[in-house]
């Protein structure tokens, strides 16, 4: 007994009217990256202003710091709040909450977290080193020389810039809201008599620059470090009578 199986003719032998259409391949667009130097021009100007107006005896800019402080204390003599300790984190919190509300960002949660950690390390390193090296006295009763730059402000503007970059293609007003919160944080630092105007402006510049640098460098870091590491990383849940957790292993 013989069995005949139908053979499909190659697409090249079929007439155009019956030839199947070519498959459409959709490639997800990579995040667009502008040149780094233009993105750092504004924060560089902020830092330059802060350095130029440090409280040095006899300098003309020194008067602006003192005049701003006097005006704020005269207008709000009893102002005191700890809200600035929390508002500096608000843009970061918003970046994680928005996907739960259906607003998609440019990176998913894991990539955004790694990007955040990269930029945060840069921001904290720059801020802490400048505090140690500059040694400017705080304006209020706090007796330390760690006034310049404002760490609260740098963190707030760092978080706001990441929020802006993450959602600017969805809705630029999200980033605008983050910057408004960051500006309020810097203002509260001056109203609490913790920082001079120059500290706040320089802190804003450092925060923006750290976020922009991290956003620019992360795609390269992801290709060179994160992706090879992810291929070797194995995560497995572990459970027992009195324990539970997550096991981490690396493939050789």
């Amino acid at each position: 007994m013989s069995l005949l199986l139908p053979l499909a003719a190659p697409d090249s032998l079929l007439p155009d009217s019956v030839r199947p259409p070519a498959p459409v391949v959709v490639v997800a667009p990579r995040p667009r990256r502008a040149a780094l130097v233009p993105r750092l021009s504004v924060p560089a100007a902020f830092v330059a202003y802060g350095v130029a107006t440090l409280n040095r005896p006899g300098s003309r800019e020194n008067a602006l710091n003192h005049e701003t402080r006097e005006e704020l204390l005269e207008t709000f003599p009893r102002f005191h709040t700890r809200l600035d300790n929390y508002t500096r984190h608000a843009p970061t919190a918003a970046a994680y909450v928005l996907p739960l509300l259906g607003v998609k960002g440019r990176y998913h949660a894991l990539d955004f977290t790694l990007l955040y950690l990269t930029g945060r390390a840069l921001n904290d390193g720059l801020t802490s080193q400048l505090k140690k090296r500059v040694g400017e006295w705080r304006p209020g009763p706090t007796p330390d020389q760690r006034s310049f730059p404002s760490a609260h402000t740098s963190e707030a503007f760092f978080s706001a810039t990441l929020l802006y970059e993450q959602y600017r293609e969805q809705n630029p007003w999200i980033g605008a809201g983050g910057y408004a919160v960051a500006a309020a944080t810097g203002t509260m630092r001056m109203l609490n008599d913790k920082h001079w105007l120059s500290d706040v402006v320089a802190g804003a510049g450092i925060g923006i620059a750290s976020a922009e640098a991290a956003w620019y460098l992360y795609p390269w870091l992801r290709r060179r470090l994160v992706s090879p590491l992810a291929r070797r990383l194995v995560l497995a849940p572990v459970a027992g009578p009195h324990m539970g957790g997550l096991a981490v292993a690396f493939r050789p």
Side-chain angles (χ1 to χ4, degrees):
M1 178 182 294
S2 62
L3 180 64
L4 299 178
L5 298 176
L7 298 177
D11 290 347
S12 59
L13 301 180
L14 294 176
D16 294 339
S17 58
V18 297
R19 184 178 303 169
V24 178
V25 179
V26 179
V27 179
R30 295 175 58 187
R32 295 192 301 269
R33 292 184 295 159
L36 181 59
V37 174
R39 298 168 76 171
L40 296 181
S41 58
V42 172
F46 285 0
V47 175
Y49 171 84
V51 172
T53 55
L54 280 169
N55 287 315
R56 290 185 290 269
S59 67
R60 182 178 179 181
E61 293 80 10
N62 182 47
L64 181 59
N65 278 336
H66 287 275
E67 290 172 3
T68 303
R69 176 176 181 255
E70 291 171 4
E71 287 290 337
L72 291 175
L73 293 180
E74 181 179 348
T75 307
F76 306 96
R78 298 182 179 179
F79 184 91
H80 177 72
T81 182
R82 294 183 178 180
L83 186 61
D84 48 350
N85 292 328
Y86 305 100
T87 55
R88 57 176 169 166
H89 304 298
T92 301
Y96 285 100
V97 171
L98 285 171
L100 302 178
L101 303 177
V103 183
K104 288 186 176 182
R106 297 168 69 185
Y107 281 115
H108 58 68
L110 178 59
D111 273 325
F112 184 80
T113 300
L114 294 174
L115 194 157
Y116 170 83
L117 294 175
T118 301
R120 182 66 186 272
L122 177 61
N123 182 66
D124 289 357
L126 288 173
T127 303
S128 62
Q129 286 300 313
L130 284 172
K131 281 181 175 292
K132 293 177 182 178
R133 295 179 181 276
V134 174
E136 184 182 42
W137 287 99
R138 292 187 186 273
T142 306
D144 69 51
Q145 293 178 267
R146 296 175 60 84
S147 186
F148 182 90
S150 169
H152 282 66
T153 308
S154 69
E155 183 176 351
F157 274 88
F158 165 75
S159 300
T161 303
L162 287 188
L163 180 68
Y164 165 75
E165 292 289 357
Q166 177 75 336
Y167 294 101
R168 67 175 182 175
E169 295 179 354
Q170 291 285 345
N171 189 339
W173 287 105
I174 295 175
Y179 281 123
V181 172
T185 302
T187 303
M188 284 187 285
R189 295 304 288 168
M190 291 188 293
L191 289 170
N192 280 331
D193 208 18
K194 296 293 185 180
H195 285 288
W196 306 97
L197 175 63
S198 56
D199 306 335
V200 169
V201 175
I206 292 171
I208 296 172
S210 299
E212 292 290 6
W215 196 273
Y216 182 83
L217 294 173
Y218 181 71
W220 180 86
L221 293 173
R222 189 175 188 274
R223 291 195 305 271
R224 297 297 181 92
L225 300 176
V226 178
S227 294
L229 181 63
R231 287 193 293 267
R232 298 180 58 189
L233 185 65
V234 179
L235 301 177
V238 178
H242 304 288
M243 55 86 68
L246 191 67
V248 181
F250 287 92
R251 296 188 184 96

